[in-house]
Amino acid sequence: MKYSKATNYALHTMVHLTMEPKGQAVSVDQLAYMQDLSPTYLSKILTKLVKAGLIESVPGAKGGYSISRRAQDISFLDVIEAVEGQSVLFNCAFDHDKSECLIERVMIEAEGNMKKELAGRTIQSIAEQSQETKKEK
């Protein structure tokens, strides 16, 4: 199982925005520079995060992007689903009654466990760990 690079960039962006002072917007150019990305590519990811209600776009000369909800209420799963969508990872390839497919049952259970784990991990917790790591250096 593999997530796209867009998800990687979205998670890093969310953590960075969480570490900014409340109400401070960060420009797409700054966010792109920090991750060595093109602003155009990052803008597409940011649009998905805005549509999901995770961040907001702040217009104007000092505009940019900021967190729109409390970071402790934003899970890894929220960010991943904003970028990747909510489709299932495994679909049985055989034409039979899906309720009888033991392989699919195992895969659905595993996916459920993974989603539960990601839903329990918040962007805030990673931002706090990141700040602690910086203080130790």
Side-chain angles (χ1 to χ4, degrees):
M1 149 181 27
K2 184 176 181 180
Y3 291 112
S4 68
K5 287 183 180 180
T7 294
N8 183 1
Y9 299 134
L11 288 164
H12 280 86
T13 297
M14 292 298 294
V15 170
H16 178 78
L17 290 175
T18 296
M19 293 169 52
E20 288 294 320
K22 187 170 176 76
Q24 174 132 359
V26 182
S27 74
V28 67
D29 290 332
Q30 280 181 283
L31 292 167
Y33 177 78
M34 291 176 353
Q35 297 184 68
D36 197 25
L37 298 173
S38 99
T40 304
Y41 176 65
L42 185 58
S43 289
K44 293 175 184 176
I45 297 167
L46 295 172
T47 297
K48 291 180 179 186
L49 297 173
V50 168
K51 285 182 181 178
L54 302 177
I55 63 172
E56 61 187 0
S57 175
V58 180
K62 294 186 178 185
Y65 293 89
S66 63
I67 297 289
S68 63
R69 297 184 353 209
R70 297 179 338 153
Q72 61 263 34
D73 295 335
I74 301 172
S75 73
F76 269 53
L77 185 61
D78 293 330
V79 177
I80 292 166
E81 287 182 342
V83 176
E84 302 283 343
Q86 296 184 6
S87 62
V88 296
L89 298 175
F90 181 84
N91 286 307
C92 184
F94 290 96
D95 186 23
H96 57 78
D97 183 0
K98 298 270 185 196
S99 65
E100 295 177 10
C101 184
L102 299 177
I103 293 170
E104 187 170 47
R105 282 189 203 169
V106 169
M107 297 303 285
I108 288 171
E109 182 181 343
E111 185 176 343
N113 289 336
M114 181 184 68
K115 284 184 175 184
K116 184 177 176 183
E117 178 70 22
L118 292 170
R121 301 288 179 132
T122 66
I123 296 299
Q124 180 68 39
S125 67
I126 298 302
E128 288 171 357
Q129 287 177 15
S130 178
Q131 288 174 332
E132 287 173 15
T133 301
K134 286 180 182 178
K135 286 179 185 176
E136 292 173 2
K137 288 183 178 181

